[in-house]
Amino acid sequence: MSPKREKASRAKGKAMEAAAQEEAAAAEKQREEKANSFRLSSVATMNKRTKAAAVLIALGTSPASEVVKYLHENEVETLSAEIAQIKSLTAEEKEDIINEFYEMCIAQKAITEGGTDYARSVLDKAFGEKKADELIFRATTKIDSAPFAFINDVDNKNLLMTLQHEHPQTIAVVLSHVSSDKASKIISELPREQQIEIIERISNMDKANPEITAIVERSLKKKLSGTYNTSSSSAPEHGGVQYIAEIMNRIDKDSQKAVFEGMEVTNPELVGKIKKLMFVFGDIINLNDMEIQAFIREADTKDLTVSLKAASPELQERIFNNMSSRQKEMIQSDMQYLHNLRMRDVEAAQQRIIDVIRGLEESGDIVLFKGGDDEIIA
């Protein structure tokens, strides 16, 4: 065979080999897509109860047991029955159900924190436009069916007029289901004795009985008929000490001081719990530059170093930007040699800084609890 023909033959052979590899790769991709489509469809066809049960199975025994503690007795019974009917879940199905659950958590958190438009921008970047639309639809459908969802669309004046004559426990149940901002404004307008009682009741509130909640909701909806927009807005369920801390962060300063003084007599332990949750180390990022500079001047350098070692990059940058170049370089240098820190040591250092900040707040150098729409004049 001539060299020319031999070269052409080799080229043809390579081309045929490449074509065969491409065909094999395409066939493999098609098989994978078909398999993925099948396992995704098996999760997609599950109803909500089955999905909830599948999430508990996918989490594993120990994490699932922690989740179950927060459920009502009849919810546990329902999920137990669903779990019993699920023979098994493949590793792929577990992965899909956890991914779906995670995506829904992200969607609901984004909607709760910033509304639908904010959630759409966040989810669009994370998952793409099509997936974002799907998650927002599912999340808002769930939120709209939450107890007392309509109340966030009720004018505060109308809500106050309706609630002020209700039993304190009824007021507590209602306010535990609205936004902390709305709850703080309603509580601020109530008589002082009533404020303290309602705050204590919300703080001690466990999972409300669904039947009682439904009765209260129907009664209130009837009384407030015509005073709200039926399009509804987000109404995440709250309650407990953490929620009260959010309310107290927003309540006006005079009411906050009076409530705490009254509760110090009747329930000092609860006051301590609320205050501990009202301002955490991560909340420093919300202080203005002058306030950050004020606590930096008062805080121990070692405490700052240990605290910043475990802080988020955003918070580190916020604090470093308010330091002198010399102090910043010194702390950053010391941070490089900090290893194997115990969490309790970090928390202790952060707590000492929080105590410094609270001291500055008491002296009027820092305003931690600015409340609702208050303006701060520098």
Side-chain angles (χ1 to χ4, degrees), residues 69-245:
K69 290 178 183 178
Y70 296 93
L71 301 179
H72 193 270
E73 187 177 328
N74 59 7
E75 292 173 329
V76 176
E77 289 177 5
T78 301
L79 283 174
S80 297
E82 288 290 335
I83 290 171
Q85 292 181 38
I86 299 176
K87 299 272 190 262
S88 64
L89 289 174
T90 65
E92 291 81 6
E93 286 173 330
K94 287 181 182 179
E95 182 183 353
D96 289 339
I97 200 71
I98 288 295
N99 285 340
E100 183 177 312
F101 178 64
Y102 172 75
E103 290 168 357
M104 282 301 298
C105 288
I106 293 293
Q108 289 178 27
K109 186 174 187 294
I111 290 171
T112 301
E113 290 181 348
T116 305
D117 291 338
Y118 168 76
R120 190 178 300 281
S121 65
V122 171
L123 298 173
D124 196 6
K125 290 179 182 177
F127 305 112
E129 185 178 352
K130 185 177 180 181
K131 187 70 174 179
D133 288 340
E134 177 192 337
L135 289 172
I136 287 172
F137 174 77
R138 285 160 57 196
T140 51
T141 301
K142 177 177 172 50
I143 287 173
D144 288 346
S145 62
F148 301 100
F150 67 94
I151 290 183
N152 277 304
D153 292 313
V154 176
D155 177 79
N156 288 347
K157 184 178 178 180
N158 287 323
L159 182 58
L160 176 64
M161 289 176 62
T162 304
L163 288 179
Q164 62 186 350
H165 302 300
E166 297 288 342
H167 188 278
Q169 182 62 23
T170 300
I171 300 174
V173 169
V174 173
L175 294 185
S176 71
H177 286 82
V178 303
S179 68
S180 56
D181 182 53
K182 195 175 191 73
S184 68
K185 289 173 182 173
I186 298 298
I187 290 174
S188 295
E189 297 298 324
L190 294 172
R192 196 71 71 210
E193 300 77 13
Q194 207 172 18
Q195 288 179 345
I196 295 172
E197 185 174 2
I198 289 166
I199 284 171
E200 288 181 336
R201 286 176 181 272
I202 295 176
S203 298
N204 297 320
M205 192 172 289
D206 199 352
K207 186 78 174 177
N209 185 310
E211 294 178 4
I212 295 176
T213 300
I215 292 171
V216 174
E217 183 182 19
R218 283 197 298 271
S219 173
L220 193 64
K221 189 176 282 189
K222 186 176 181 181
K223 291 177 182 178
L224 290 167
S225 178
T227 65
Y228 61 91
N229 186 336
T230 56
S231 63
S232 185
S233 62
S234 62
E237 184 177 348
H238 291 281
V241 180
Q242 177 64 58
Y243 179 53
I244 283 298

Side-chain angles (χ1 to χ4, degrees), residues 141 253 306:
T141 301
K253 194 65 178 287
V306 172

Side-chain angles (χ1 to χ4, degrees), residues 224-321:
L224 290 167
S225 178
T227 65
Y228 61 91
N229 186 336
T230 56
S231 63
S232 185
S233 62
S234 62
E237 184 177 348
H238 291 281
V241 180
Q242 177 64 58
Y243 179 53
I244 283 298
E246 292 177 19
I247 290 175
M248 296 302 287
N249 271 332
R250 297 171 179 271
I251 212 167
D252 68 276
K253 194 65 178 287
D254 291 337
S255 295
Q256 183 192 105
K257 184 179 179 182
V259 167
F260 277 144
E261 286 177 352
M263 288 175 64
E264 282 283 4
V265 178
T266 59
N267 202 335
E269 184 180 354
L270 179 58
V271 172
K273 288 179 180 178
I274 294 172
K275 284 186 174 180
K276 188 175 181 181
L277 290 171
M278 281 178 69
F279 187 87
V280 296
F281 188 78
D283 293 334
I284 288 173
I285 203 166
N286 298 318
L287 300 179
N288 64 40
D289 290 344
M290 290 180 65
E291 291 168 340
I292 292 176
Q293 291 162 20
F295 87 76
I296 287 174
R297 286 194 296 270
E298 300 292 329
D300 183 272
T301 302
K302 185 178 179 181
D303 286 341
L304 278 170
T305 305
V306 172
S307 298
L308 286 171
K309 179 72 174 180
S312 68
E314 293 82 7
L315 183 53
Q316 286 183 7
E317 183 181 6
R318 188 90 169 82
I319 294 176
F320 283 141
N321 286 344

